[in-house]
Amino acid sequence: MGNRLSNRQIQLKKNFTEINRYWHDVWDELLVLDEEFFEILSNFTFVPWKTGVLEPKIKELINVAISASPTHLSAPATRIHIQNALRFGATSEEILEVFKVVSVLGMHTCAVGVPLMAEEFELEALFKDAHLTDQQKQSKTDFIEQMGYWNGFRDVLLQMDEKFFESYTDFLTAPLKSGVLEPKIIEFIYIAIDASTTHLFKKGIQVHLKNARKYGATSEEILEVFQLTSSLGFDTLLMGIPILIEEMNKRSR
């Protein structure tokens, strides 16, 4: 399919590039395929960039997190947003730290699964502090001091496999201890990946909203995190359009 753009399409491309600060060849194809929808998409993505309160680097670190999340794993989008983050002054250490924060999402397997297991095997007693050893109580206290929250499933996890709990705590708290990203930004990342359409983990959103607020986040900042995360669906276009073009070209031979 040809990619010759009309004057209006060239202007739409210019507007998109100036506001979103990047371009991808797929958007050329979308402009040709459906100019009207491209404009709708553009206007949707413009909002946090035109009126947002987060600095551009933070926006792109959040976008990196969403794209690289274990529930999404979009290589094209991750590459775009890493390039943008670097352009806005992010360091390789900061981007690596984003990956560390996001990789913890795998523990939501335990957050959802352990309570169900405890219910099935009638392990209700393990949800009570009284059954913790002194060492386990200290581990719980240390976790709360570092992370600022606790959920009942961790009582079960702590009692059933103390070594696993300790390794999980080290894994979870490493980004906070490193100091590469400030705690509020880490909470923004947690909120984004928990609120993404590929995950929608309500308990996690609630916990990290409280933490973010504790670290000084405003409702305007949180809304912008949600706005950025709401653009996740556009990765369908990044993946799907090249395949569509390829198949259309095969049929036209």
Side-chain angles (χ1 to χ4, degrees):
M1 179 178 293
N3 249 358
R4 185 178 181 84
L5 303 181
S6 68
N7 289 337
R8 172 166 169 72
Q9 290 166 346
I10 291 171
Q11 186 60 50
L12 288 171
K13 178 176 180 176
K14 181 181 178 183
N15 292 343
F16 185 100
T17 306
E18 287 178 351
I19 294 173
N20 284 327
R21 323 288 182 90
Y22 83 96
W23 186 255
H24 192 282
D25 290 346
V26 168
W27 302 140
D28 282 315
E29 300 289 357
L30 181 59
L31 266 170
V32 173
L33 288 167
D34 194 332
E35 176 184 314
E36 182 180 357
F37 183 73
F38 176 85
E39 185 171 11
I40 291 170
L41 177 152
S42 298
N43 290 335
F44 184 87
T45 63
F46 287 169
V47 175
W49 289 96
K50 281 184 171 180
T51 62
V53 294
L54 298 175
E55 63 176 284
K57 183 182 81 170
I58 301 306
K59 294 184 207 286
E60 286 302 342
L61 289 178
I62 291 170
N63 283 333
V64 169
I66 297 164
S67 302
S69 170
T71 61
H72 190 48
L73 296 176
S74 172
T78 300
R79 183 179 299 278
I80 286 171
H81 294 300
I82 286 176
Q83 291 171 345
N84 285 355
L86 292 170
R87 192 176 302 121
F88 286 125
T91 64
S92 59
E93 290 79 11
E94 287 174 323
I95 294 172
L96 178 59
E97 208 67 12
V98 170
F99 294 152
K100 293 178 186 178
V101 173
V102 174
S103 66
V104 174
L105 196 68
M107 272 303 298
H108 285 176
T109 295
C110 290
V112 175
V114 169
L116 295 174
M117 177 192 69
E119 180 181 351
E120 179 65 29
F121 288 89
E122 300 179 352
L123 302 174
E124 290 85 355
L126 297 184
F127 283 100
K128 298 178 181 178
D129 261 357
H131 294 271
L132 297 177
T133 66
D134 289 342
Q135 178 57 48
Q136 290 168 346
K137 288 178 181 177
Q138 186 59 54
S139 295
K140 179 174 180 176
T141 298
D142 292 344
F143 182 98
I144 294 171
E145 286 179 353
Q146 293 178 82
M147 296 304 299
Y149 60 88
W150 185 261
N151 303 102
F153 85 90
R154 292 187 175 88
D155 286 311
V156 178
L157 198 60
L158 181 54
Q159 292 173 80
M160 291 191 69
D161 196 330
E162 192 170 333
K163 291 297 183 184
F164 180 76
F165 179 84
E166 290 173 357
S167 65
Y168 153 58
T169 300
D170 289 341
F171 181 31
L172 184 62
T173 59
L176 281 172
K177 290 177 179 176
S178 75
V180 174
L181 296 175
E182 64 176 285
K184 185 174 75 167
I185 304 308
I186 292 175
E187 294 301 330
F188 287 162
I189 291 170
Y190 282 137
I191 290 168
I193 60 178
D194 282 349
S196 70
T197 189
T198 55
H199 195 41
L200 296 176
F201 187 57
K202 183 178 179 180
K203 288 184 178 179
I205 299 169
Q206 291 171 328
V207 165
H208 295 296
L209 280 173
K210 290 182 184 298
N211 269 8
R213 191 173 183 185
K214 180 182 71 176
Y215 290 126
T218 65
S219 57
E220 290 79 11
E221 288 174 323
I222 299 298
L223 178 59
E224 191 167 332
V225 172
F226 290 148
Q227 289 171 345
L228 291 165
T229 306
S230 296
S231 296
L232 185 70
F234 297 145
D235 290 352
T236 296
L237 301 167
L238 282 175
M239 180 194 71
I241 288 176
I243 297 173
L244 172 61
I245 299 299
E246 182 182 342
E247 294 302 319
M248 292 287 287
N249 288 338
K250 286 181 183 177
R251 293 176 68 87
S252 65
R253 289 173 189 165

